[in-house]
Amino acid sequence: MLFPDYRPRRLRQNENFRRMIRETKLSVDDLILPMFSVEGKGVRNPIASMPGHYQLSVENVVKEAKVACDLGIPSVMLFGIPDRKDALATSAYAKDGIVQKTVRAVKKKVKDLLVITDVCLCEYTDHGHCGVVQDGIIDNDASLDLLARTALSHAQAGADMVAPSDMMDGRIAEIRDLLDQNGFESTPIMSYAAKYCSAFYYPFRQAAESAPKFGDRRTYQMDPANSLEAIREVAMDVEEGADVIMVKPALAYLDIICRVREEIDLPIAAYNVSGEFAMIKAADKLGWLDGKKVMMESLIAIKRAGADMILTYFAKEAARELQRD
Ligand code: PBG
């Protein structure tokens, strides 16, 4: 059908028509709020490049988690910043590690909220890499056991889901095995399956104090130029037992979300990462963009591409916007 028989503008002429033909909807159900937990009491350190976000001590994480829960956000993702770092990331899998303590507190005080934990070693290693380093090389197989132990310790502390973000090969199977052997067969794994080596993580690394001390993450995180490889990565994690798969970052990788959606029938999460958040906040502050509008447009774009859930530092603001609708 061509103009003048077909006039696409007919169904755009007012908001009721637009509502009726809207193909994608964003809901508070889709949102996951990432949070940063630190040792100490009464800590609320603002993160300069992530306005509205803080390094929080446990009791403040609980408070923030309560706010998120009251806004209807179903889930939070916890990152930990430990006091001590060492070559083997010992505090990543310590029973009283920062994430473990925080999970216990949040699960006790905010019953209706799902707590997902990020499983990685980079915040806990003195060199800042996501695995064990041997002769300057990130040793894949030597890292698997530590990652699995970290995931198990999170599950034992009460985590509802574990989310490995390290990008070592074979870690999903290793984590699934150890969880199952210890009676956690009902704990799902959200795999950061297609995680790119991205400069958009910069603000996060300041927030989590997890920047690598030498080199970069290109030997384990994916090359931004590749998309077929993303399908292989995702398929592999599905085979190994992932329950939810993630694409990260989100906005510069919408094509990847879309392709993965076509190939895989598991729920897909997309991580709207720190740099994506920071850019919008910075432009809004300068008066160069309407931050709220760009936020909502970005989130709907991530859903339209095929994501079922979105990890986003905008979760609380977006939840408030959605309440207003
Ligand atoms: C840890 C991890 C990172 C992010 C999530 N988990 C950083 C990295 O891989 O260096 C980034 C999240 C963000 O930028 O918001 N491996």
Side-chain angles (χ1 to χ4, degrees):
M1 248 197 312
L2 285 176
F3 177 82
D5 299 325
Y6 177 53
R7 291 175 180 268
R9 288 185 55 191
R10 283 181 194 132
L11 295 180
R12 280 181 213 144
Q13 58 185 303
N14 64 45
E15 182 56 13
N16 278 341
F17 276 125
R18 291 191 292 269
R19 278 170 59 202
M20 282 200 297
I21 65 157
R22 192 157 290 145
E23 296 171 36
T24 310
K25 296 225 161 80
L26 182 70
S27 147
V28 69
D29 298 342
D30 309 325
L31 306 174
I32 303 172
L33 173 69
M35 299 197 337
F36 301 96
S37 181
V38 280
E39 298 282 359
K41 266 229 139 43
V43 184
R44 195 175 166 84
N45 296 331
I47 301 161
S49 51
M50 299 171 69
H53 287 269
Y54 304 84
Q55 294 180 334
L56 300 167
S57 49
V58 176
E59 83 286 5
N60 284 332
V61 173
V62 171
K63 266 190 218 153
E64 276 291 304
K66 179 97 181 34
V67 172
C69 187
D70 290 345
L71 282 166
I73 295 168
S75 177
V76 296
M77 167 81 94
L78 284 185
F79 294 93
I81 301 139
D83 265 354
R84 271 178 306 107
K85 301 181 189 241
D86 58 35
L88 291 176
T90 316
S91 40
Y93 40 89
K95 191 159 180 271
D96 62 347
I98 183 63
V99 166
Q100 292 80 352
K101 281 193 287 200
T102 311
V103 172
R104 280 194 289 269
V106 175
K107 288 309 295 178
K108 198 163 140 200
K109 300 268 173 59
V110 198
K111 302 256 190 281
D112 273 348
L113 190 70
L114 286 183
V115 177
I116 311 172
T117 54
D118 181 84
V119 174
C120 198
L121 305 183
C122 59
E123 293 101 334
Y124 307 90
T125 48
D126 47 15
H127 46 67
H129 278 288
C130 306
V132 177
V133 172
Q134 229 100 241
D135 303 325
I137 285 173
I138 293 79
D139 185 333
N140 192 85
D141 297 12
S143 306
L144 297 179
D145 174 51
L146 302 187
L147 289 161
R149 281 162 62 186
T150 303
L152 176 60
S153 72
H154 292 178
Q156 285 166 334
D160 296 293
M161 177 149 74
V162 292
S165 67
D166 52 284
M167 287 299 278
M168 296 299 124
D169 297 334
R171 88 270 209 220
I172 301 301
E174 189 92 4
I175 291 171
R176 187 70 272 158
D177 272 359
L178 194 67
L179 289 176
D180 290 357
Q181 281 165 31
N182 286 276
F184 291 99
E185 60 284 328
S186 299
T187 304
I189 302 175
M190 173 192 268
S191 169
Y192 287 68
K195 177 174 176 179
Y196 286 88
C197 189
S198 171
F200 285 100
Y201 306 152
Y202 186 80
F204 173 95
R205 290 182 190 164
Q206 292 182 312
E209 301 173 11
S210 65
K213 295 268 160 27
F214 68 90
D216 52 43
R217 304 207 200 288
R218 278 185 290 182
T219 67
Y220 42 107
Q221 299 181 346
M222 284 181 56
D223 183 337
N226 295 352
S227 59
L228 286 170
E229 190 188 356
I231 304 303
R232 288 200 299 276
E233 276 281 5
V234 168
M236 196 171 155
D237 287 2
V238 173
E239 283 293 304
E240 289 183 30
D243 300 278
V244 177
I245 47 144
M246 194 199 294
V247 174
K248 176 187 174 188
L251 289 173
Y253 297 83
L254 294 177
D255 59 318
I256 307 297
I257 299 174
C258 192
R259 278 189 86 152
V260 170
R261 175 73 296 159
E262 279 164 15
E263 307 255 351
I264 303 286
D265 59 6
L266 283 182
I268 298 175
Y271 202 139
N272 178 213
V273 299
S274 57
E276 299 173 332
F277 175 80
M279 288 195 303
I280 295 173
K281 285 291 178 190
D284 180 76
K285 198 170 162 193
L286 285 164
W288 291 359
L289 283 178
D290 179 329
K292 264 202 187 107
K293 287 194 174 136
V294 176
M295 162 182 83
M296 294 311 274
E297 185 176 332
S298 303
L299 295 173
I300 203 73
I302 296 168
K303 270 219 91 178
R304 190 196 61 234
D308 300 293
M309 46 196 116
I310 308 173
L311 293 113
T312 179
Y313 302 96
F314 288 119
K316 288 195 304 178
E317 281 168 82
R320 290 196 185 102
E321 278 305 293
L322 290 165
Q323 280 176 347
R324 258 192 279 281
D325 285 350

